[in-house]
Amino acid sequence: YQPIVEVNLNALRHNLAQVQAYSEHAQVLAMVKADGMVMANETAQALSAADALRVARCNEAKALVDAGVTNQIVLMEGC
């Protein structure tokens, strides 16, 4: 059995804008995590207005860079 995950990218953009509006003097880092990097790449693009993107592992950071994501990427663990 393979679960199906649906992510509403418009809702992500809206939620990010709300967080930025409430925290106008702070930087906002958006966590990007997914087992399938295709979903992570789409999520990263939807959250491109964030000041930086956070990932858990080196391979996730590399996949985002390889996909053309230009945001600063913050790694939560060492390589």
Side-chain angles (χ1 to χ4, degrees):
Y1 174 73
Q2 189 67 19
I4 296 173
V5 176
E6 292 184 21
V7 177
N8 185 327
L9 299 177
N10 288 326
L12 284 178
R13 288 184 201 95
H14 172 79
N15 291 346
L16 175 59
Q18 293 297 306
V19 170
Q20 289 172 319
Y22 286 111
S23 58
E24 62 186 65
H25 299 294
Q27 290 187 329
V28 176
L29 285 81
M31 183 70 187
V32 177
K33 177 67 181 137
D35 288 335
M37 286 310 295
V38 171
M39 184 170 50
N41 293 340
E42 292 174 358
T43 302
Q45 291 173 2
L47 297 172
S48 63
D51 295 298
L53 301 174
R54 292 186 75 168
V55 295
R57 297 184 177 89
C58 291
N59 65 322
E60 294 170 341
K62 183 178 182 324
L64 293 179
V65 170
D66 291 347
V69 173
T70 58
N71 289 69
Q72 180 181 4
I73 298 172
V74 177
L75 183 61
M76 292 181 60
E77 74 171 23
C79 292

